Amino acid sequence: MIRKASLLLVGALMGAAVVTTMSQVPINVSVAANAAATDTYRQLNLFGDVFERVRSDYVEVPDDAQLIESAINGMLTSLDPHSSYMSPKSFRDMQVQTRGEFGGLGIEVTMEEGLVKVVTPIDDTPAAKAGIRAGDYITAIDGEQVQGLTLNEAVEKMRGPVNTDIVVTIRREGTVDPFDVTITRDVIRIRAVRWREEDDVGYIRLTQFNEQTFDGLQEGIEEMTANIGADKLKGFVIDLRNNPGGLLDQAIAVSDAFLDRGEIVSTRGREADETQRYNARAGDLTAGKPVIVLVNGGSASASEIVAGALQDHRRATVLGTRSFGKGSVQTIIPLGANGAIRLTTARYYTPSGTSIQAKGILPDIESLQTLPEDLVGRAETKGEAGLRGHLEADGEEEGSGSQAYVLPDPKDDAQLNLALDLLRGTQVNSAFPPVPDTAAKN
């Protein structure tokens, strides 16, 4: 176990593991360990030789600290798309972001093929208002090519003083040429939970899992139950579409809000003794009201924990399209005054023991959006399975990612309207309401 971990992240923010099994083979453990250590020190000496040669012979005098930082980040990013080094400033920014307020454009991004890829724009932020879409590639920032930058360096360039403009060059699937989008930076205040009454149904949208998420969910449930009336309330729609994830403890708390007992999620590290299981406590905030969970190709990680837990326990019907498929947990390990590293330390599993890494959550009811003509064939994300260097799926065929677009007008939102019709009984489907599975609750 990593004892210095201060935070567990299961969001899309931002290799293959080689496992050697030896059985019934006589081995001198100390000799093997010494040989491995000798080889490792030889490689470290190689790094030292290269470092000194760069310092002495490069055409310009390099920054020693920058060389070391780049080397560390290169080592981490070679592991998988979600491990990285955070400078002291980036670490502080991340801590602020998990509290729900930070400066920037309002996009969740990852790095793919040397370019910054948009996982999802955050609701009601400058990026969303400027028309940035999930799956867009940012190829240049203020005219400077992104190719060759690390993800942290690119993110740093997108940050800046509030009310200043930034020009990002976008490459979008289906468009012939890249195009520029001007975005005005602003203070991004993430309202993690939004809700409204759809007549006799409570609609709750979770935009991400930060420190405010469970409290907002609880407030929304209580307010709408009181306003609609417990006797008239048909149920709840929990909208996790394009929710990129966030804090593990918040995903557990949100799942627990609808469950009385049973496992919510387990995380399994490299060693058997690193397995942790998280269980629900008694108490359902909705008093057993029917629940439909909406997911799509932009629903990642913490969102998938919630959808998977409620699906496995037959507590909710999952409706929409296959989710992103990010089934790994990142641990933030502080390095004192030197920032921190974000390191993938575990995979997470749904209550039935299923890993969704590079596979995603399959909805109980598949429902596609009817897209505007200019978006047909261009509103999908490849998901985790499409990221270079991703952790491979657990013994099953990969296939995460799907349609990742939510129509701005609720009247045109086919997935939401189907959920409302099911809750009101004007449409029927064998997957709703789900049949309770007592085995999943034990």
Side-chain angles (χ1 to χ4, degrees):
M1 293 294 290
I2 297 175
R3 302 298 182 186
K4 294 183 179 179
S6 64
L7 201 60
L8 285 179
L9 296 176
V10 286
L13 287 174
M14 234 275 116
V18 179
V19 180
T20 303
T21 303
M22 292 171 287
S23 177
Q24 299 180 345
V25 179
I27 294 176
N28 186 320
V29 177
S30 63
V31 171
N34 288 336
T38 300
D39 187 60
T40 299
Y41 286 125
R42 186 180 300 116
Q43 296 298 319
L44 288 174
N45 286 336
L46 171 62
F47 171 77
D49 291 342
V50 173
F51 178 71
E52 287 302 327
R53 182 55 62 96
V54 171
R55 293 182 70 216
S56 63
D57 294 350
Y58 186 64
V59 64
E60 296 177 354
V61 178
D63 183 316
D64 289 357
Q66 185 61 47
L67 288 176
I68 296 295
E69 181 176 318
S70 298
I72 293 171
N73 200 54
M75 173 175 62
L76 292 167
T77 55
S78 71
L79 299 172
D80 66 79
H82 308 293
S83 296
S84 63
Y85 170 73
M86 289 184 285
S87 67
K89 184 179 185 306
S90 297
F91 184 33
R92 290 193 299 271
D93 290 342
M94 185 276 298
Q95 291 173 308
V96 170
Q97 181 170 340
T98 60
R99 292 195 291 271
E101 181 176 318
F102 57 96
L105 306 181
I107 49 175
E108 302 285 349
V109 295
T110 188
M111 184 70 81
E112 183 177 311
E113 298 179 356
L115 301 176
V116 174
K117 183 178 183 179
V118 177
V119 174
T120 184
I122 301 170
D123 289 353
D124 297 325
T125 62
K129 294 173 183 176
I132 302 299
R133 301 175 185 170
D136 283 348
Y137 288 90
I138 298 175
T139 62
I141 301 169
D142 282 335
E144 180 180 347
Q145 293 298 309
V146 168
Q147 197 91 33
L149 299 177
T150 66
L151 180 60
N152 285 338
E153 288 170 341
V155 169
E156 193 67 29
K157 289 183 178 295
M158 287 187 280
R159 295 189 177 120
V162 172
N163 294 326
T164 60
D165 289 343
I166 179 175
V167 179
V168 293
T169 303
I170 299 295
R171 192 183 79 194
R172 180 174 291 166
E173 186 175 349
T175 59
V176 177
D177 299 315
F179 56 93
D180 291 341
V181 178
T182 301
I183 308 175
T184 302
R185 297 181 178 96
D186 200 355
V187 175
I188 309 301
R189 295 182 178 89
I190 300 300
R191 185 180 175 188
V193 185
R194 300 174 184 273
W195 61 86
R196 65 176 183 266
E197 295 150 26
E198 293 280 352
D199 295 326
D200 52 359
V201 174
Y203 170 83
I204 302 175
R205 167 142 176 76
L206 307 185
T207 60
Q208 66 172 230
F209 289 82
N210 63 25
E211 294 175 4
Q212 308 166 10
T213 302
F214 173 74
D215 290 342
L217 173 71
Q218 184 175 26
E219 183 182 352
I221 290 173
E222 291 174 352
E223 180 180 300
M224 289 188 292
T225 301
N227 290 344
I228 297 173
D231 56 332
K232 297 179 181 178
L233 181 62
K234 293 291 196 300
F236 291 92
V237 175
I238 308 301
D239 192 348
L240 298 176
R241 293 174 297 178
N242 290 346
N243 182 321
L247 298 175
L248 176 60
D249 65 340
Q250 291 293 306
I252 293 167
V254 167
S255 303
D256 195 1
F258 303 97
L259 298 172
D260 276 316
R261 62 192 176 98
E263 184 176 304
I264 293 172
V265 67
S266 63
T267 61
R268 306 178 193 177
R270 186 166 62 184
E271 305 298 336
D273 62 356
E274 293 177 345
T275 298
Q276 295 191 58
R277 301 182 184 277
Y278 301 89
N279 297 305
R281 297 169 295 181
D284 179 345
L285 294 184
T286 69
K289 291 289 184 181
V291 176
I292 293 180
V293 176
L294 302 182
V295 298
N296 66 6
S299 305
S301 215
S303 300
E304 295 170 298
I305 288 177
V306 174
L310 300 186
Q311 183 183 60
D312 279 5
H313 284 286
R314 309 293 194 269
R315 176 62 186 90
T317 295
V318 178
L319 186 153
T321 61
R322 187 201 294 258
S323 63
F324 189 84
K326 181 179 176 296
S328 61
V329 179
Q330 282 66 52
T331 302
I332 305 301
I333 306 172
L335 302 174
N338 297 312
I341 62 173
R342 184 199 313 261
L343 188 66
T344 299
T345 55
R347 297 173 185 251
Y348 68 76
Y349 293 75
T350 67
S352 63
T354 302
S355 167
I356 63 166
Q357 172 63 20
K359 293 178 290 184
I361 295 287
L362 289 173
D364 301 303
I365 302 173
E366 184 175 32
S367 173
L368 295 173
Q369 297 282 19
T370 302
L371 300 173
E373 289 186 8
D374 65 320
L375 290 181
V376 174
R378 304 205 304 269
E380 294 199 354
T381 174
K382 295 179 182 178
E384 179 77 8
L387 297 181
R388 178 176 294 180
H390 67 272
L391 293 176
E392 295 180 354
D394 228 4
E396 295 184 30
E397 185 177 352
E398 297 184 347
S400 61
S402 67
Q403 193 182 75
Y405 185 74
V406 180
L407 280 83
D409 189 341
K411 294 179 182 178
D412 301 325
D413 190 336
Q415 294 164 342
L416 173 58
N417 289 322
L418 176 56
L420 295 174
D421 288 345
L422 289 169
L423 287 166
R424 290 170 180 150
T426 57
Q427 286 201 51
V428 295
N429 189 291
S430 59
F432 179 82
V435 178
D437 184 354
T438 55
K441 293 185 177 182
N442 293 331

